[in-house]
């Protein structure tokens, strides 16, 4: 499942995100959603979230509930 729709993403969900610094390489960072930062219902590059680790990125994969 991709992370293009805000309705698919909830706090506490395990996801993989691409951080701004990793956009060129496409390296993904796994973590748990702490906050949803994108206000719109959908975004073509993925919904921007803050992970519990404090890292910010756009959701590329949804791994599921923890």
């Amino acid at each position: 499942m991709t992370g293009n729709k805000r309705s698919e993403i909830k706090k506490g969900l395990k996801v993989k995100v691409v951080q701004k610094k990793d956009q060129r390489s496409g390296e993904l960072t796994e973590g748990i959603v702490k906050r949803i930062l994108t206000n719109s219902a959908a975004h073509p590059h993925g919904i921007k979230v803050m992970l519990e680790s404090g890292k910010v990125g756009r959701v590329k994969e949804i791994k599921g509930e923890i």
Side-chain angles (χ1 to χ4, degrees):
M1 195 180 325
T2 62
N4 294 4
K5 293 183 183 157
R6 195 174 196 275
S7 60
E8 296 174 346
I9 298 166
K10 308 275 185 265
K11 285 183 186 177
L13 204 60
K14 189 180 222 180
V15 296
K16 286 191 176 184
V17 302
V18 64
Q19 295 181 73
K20 184 91 171 170
K21 67 180 181 74
D22 296 327
Q23 283 178 341
R24 289 173 91 71
S25 68
E27 184 183 333
L28 298 178
T29 304
E30 192 168 307
I32 313 255
V33 176
K34 181 178 180 181
R35 287 180 48 208
I36 300 172
L37 303 176
T38 299
N39 290 323
S40 60
H43 193 283
H45 301 297
I47 300 298
K48 191 181 279 189
V49 298
M50 178 182 285
L51 302 178
E52 288 184 346
S53 63
K55 295 178 180 174
V56 174
R58 294 198 180 271
V59 177
K60 294 297 178 186
E61 292 180 32
I62 298 173
K63 304 300 280 181
E65 301 289 328
I66 56 164

